[in-house]
Amino acid sequence: MFYTLILASSIASAETEVLVSSFEAKNTKAEQFAEELPKLILENLELEPDIAGLSLADAKPVHATPAQLYMDGCPPGEYEGCAAQIAQVNNIPFAIAGEVDALEEVMRVNIHIIDVNEGQSVADFPLDIAAGGEDAIIQTIVLTLKSAVKG
């Protein structure tokens, strides 16, 4: 009975891993935010007890190519597939990737949350961010990720 309680406790406290990939910048104005976005997501995931974020820097290589270099070589428009490949090599069930596009007055972030085991995206949505709205978008991404992980 004691072993059953230990096993149940370890299952209940298990974190679901999520690969937080880089985001594709659609134009030069979007490059800085696209670079910062994964870091912001990872920082916020550290506050979540049920989700463990994994950065590209901490991921295992894909075919002897470091994960970050693999993503850097990913063709435009293919970030979702490249992120899923890295997550699969690392036995991580979920990945998040996307694109950032600087429009006239807002940044548009297209988010893709991928269920790697199912081989499909479970959430695809655009978010428009006005200046100063970065915290709100990060919270929206993390909440959506939590919902996707829970099923």
Side-chain angles (χ1 to χ4, degrees):
M1 182 163 154
F2 178 70
Y3 294 112
T4 305
L5 291 174
I6 292 174
L7 180 60
S9 173
S10 66
I11 291 172
S13 66
E15 292 178 316
T16 300
E17 285 188 298
V18 175
L19 175 74
V20 180
S21 177
S22 50
F23 281 67
E24 177 183 3
K26 292 292 198 179
N27 49 42
T28 54
K29 284 179 147 181
E31 288 175 356
Q32 182 178 354
F33 189 63
E35 188 175 317
E36 292 172 2
L37 195 52
K39 296 171 196 164
L40 295 170
I41 293 169
L42 285 164
E43 286 172 7
N44 279 267
L45 286 178
E46 287 178 10
L47 306 174
E48 296 298 326
D50 299 334
I51 301 176
L54 181 74
S55 70
L56 291 173
D58 295 327
K60 290 188 260 182
V62 177
H63 308 296
T65 302
Q68 183 64 62
L69 186 59
Y70 186 85
M71 280 304 296
D72 291 345
C74 189
E78 299 294 326
Y79 272 47
E80 188 176 351
C82 292
Q85 179 66 33
I86 295 168
Q88 186 175 35
V89 166
N90 284 270
N91 294 316
I92 298 173
F94 291 92
I96 183 168
E99 304 87 29
V100 179
D101 192 5
L103 305 177
E104 280 189 39
E105 296 183 22
V106 298
M107 288 280 186
R108 174 160 296 149
V109 180
N110 291 305
I111 305 295
H112 309 288
I113 298 173
I114 306 127
D115 182 331
V116 177
N117 295 327
E118 295 294 322
Q120 66 182 4
S121 184
V122 292
D124 289 299
F125 56 95
L127 294 169
D128 288 347
I129 311 163
E134 293 83 3
D135 288 342
I137 189 173
I138 299 302
Q139 290 173 357
T140 301
I141 292 168
V142 169
L143 287 172
T144 305
L145 191 54
K146 284 173 59 173
S147 294
V149 166
K150 288 182 181 179

